[in-house]
Amino acid sequence: MGSTPRWQLHFFLVLLALAFVGQISCFNPDPIPGRKHFVRLVNNLRNGQLLVKCGSETPDDLLGEHLLGTNEEYEFGFRMNLYRTKFYRCDMSYSNYHNRFEAFTATKHFLEKCGGVHCIWRAQEDGISLYNIKHDQWSLIYGWEIQRI
């Protein structure tokens, strides 16, 4: 007599699960440990190959060199670490121009600039832009530096 009907328990569990899913949406800018993130680098240069090198704080996270032709892209994924300190830096270079920049930083501010768990960077003649998925908007973040040989 004093037990809760089974359907009420199931209903409560479904509501609890839906509330949890809302907290981990792909647009939630909080860096949650274990969440999968992606960085995509796109060569949008009109006539040129783009050399891309990315890595993180450990030698295991060095991702090698990738030579991208016009309109080609390179993407990598990773899971947020427990301490929420994950970051990736990338070098992009073409012709006699280059830039080294933080392609991913585990901060709420940076994730808000990406607009979600996918951070998409685009190289073009005027510099390197970041795409905000949530607002469907590109922002020029970095200019090119002249390489000293």
Side-chain angles (χ1 to χ4, degrees), residues 95-109:
S95 185
N96 62 333
Y97 299 100
H98 80 99
N99 199 317
R100 179 175 173 84
F101 62 98
E102 290 191 3
F104 180 86
T105 302
T107 64
K108 185 174 182 173
H109 175 73

Side-chain angles (χ1 to χ4, degrees), residues 87-141:
F87 70 90
Y88 279 90
R89 288 192 181 103
C90 292
D91 288 307
M92 286 185 172
S93 60
Y94 81 100
S95 185
N96 62 333
Y97 299 100
H98 80 99
N99 199 317
R100 179 175 173 84
F101 62 98
E102 290 191 3
F104 180 86
T105 302
T107 64
K108 185 174 182 173
H109 175 73
F110 179 80
L111 294 173
E112 285 173 346
K113 287 176 25 178
C114 289
V117 297
H118 283 83
C119 295
I120 304 171
W121 295 93
R122 176 177 72 185
Q124 52 200 41
E125 281 74 10
D126 64 345
I128 302 169
S129 299
L130 178 62
Y131 183 65
N132 184 298
I133 294 171
K134 194 172 184 179
H135 299 291
D136 189 26
Q137 179 179 354
W138 288 98
S139 298
L140 183 65
I141 306 294

